[in-house]
Amino acid sequence: MGQIEWAMWANEQALAAGLIMLTGGIVAVAGQFKGWYFAAYAIAAGVFVCLLEYPRSKRKKGSTMERCGQKYMTAVVKVFGPLTRNYYIRAILHAALAVPAGFLLATILGTVCLGIASGIYLLAAVRGEEWRPIEQKPRERPHVGDTIKQPPSNPPPRPPADARKKPPLDAGGQVNPIPVEAE
């Protein structure tokens, strides 16, 4: 049985946590909760986590399904180099981002989810996983000569192969290249 790639799980968990934290922050700010500044922080942290976690990492084996528009965010994540590739740093970053949002009831669910994602990222880092970008290989177009073996000699519509006319044979049993028509 294959090895589990924990970073894939952590990525999905952290993306969901960012969305939950963002939603809870919007609810708390719109509802004018006490401690609205924690909600404003949760909105900013949720947006940051969503932007960081949107691009998926390339799997070690098999294919990875790229998210829609991921290539643009992949370029941004690649710019920060080891700060975004290293899962130890992501685990610490997510744990630190989760703490202030835990002081408000509307954002506590996002905090718990982000804490779980932090733990999964720590496990992925211990197992030696690292974020790698999904890079598209240029598609090779098939050469026309490779796809068409023998072009058709008759224009359409063509009769079935067994009903086609056979070329006339001459006396030696060979095909006459110049057909002779009787007048």
Side-chain angles (χ1 to χ4, degrees):
M1 191 158 177
Q3 290 256 348
I4 293 176
E5 291 187 37
W6 291 100
M8 298 295 282
W9 290 90
N11 176 262
E12 296 294 330
Q13 180 72 28
L15 184 61
L19 292 171
I20 293 167
M21 192 179 293
L22 175 67
T23 305
I26 290 171
V27 166
V29 168
Q32 299 175 349
F33 286 21
K34 288 183 181 177
W36 63 270
Y37 39 88
F38 288 119
Y41 166 81
I43 292 171
V47 168
F48 175 74
V49 168
C50 288
L51 291 176
L52 177 65
E53 295 298 332
Y54 190 72
R56 284 186 177 138
S57 175
K58 183 178 178 184
R59 296 179 64 191
K60 288 181 182 176
K61 290 184 179 179
S63 62
T64 308
M65 188 83 162
E66 188 177 38
R67 288 189 174 113
C68 182
Q70 173 177 330
K71 59 185 171 185
Y72 305 112
M73 286 307 302
T74 300
V76 173
V77 172
K78 279 171 50 175
V79 167
F80 290 102
L83 290 176
T84 53
R85 286 187 181 176
N86 191 334
Y87 287 146
Y88 283 113
I89 294 174
R90 281 198 189 193
I92 293 167
L93 178 68
H94 289 329
L97 286 173
V99 172
F103 293 111
L104 191 61
L105 186 60
T107 58
I108 194 91
L109 182 60
T111 299
V112 171
C113 291
L114 199 56
I116 292 169
S118 174
I120 299 171
Y121 267 133
L122 186 61
L123 179 62
V126 167
R127 294 190 177 245
E129 296 179 34
E130 183 179 68
W131 187 86
R132 293 173 309 175
I134 300 173
E135 294 171 345
Q136 297 292 331
K137 295 179 183 174
R139 294 182 192 171
E140 291 185 19
R141 297 185 68 178
H143 299 288
V144 175
D146 295 342
T147 57
I148 300 174
K149 302 290 186 233
Q150 177 82 19
S153 58
N154 297 345
R158 295 179 193 92
D162 56 342
R164 292 188 190 140
K165 294 180 184 177
K166 305 283 187 214
L169 298 175
D170 67 355
Q174 296 193 2
V175 175
N176 185 3
I178 304 172
V180 178
E181 295 182 15
E183 293 181 26

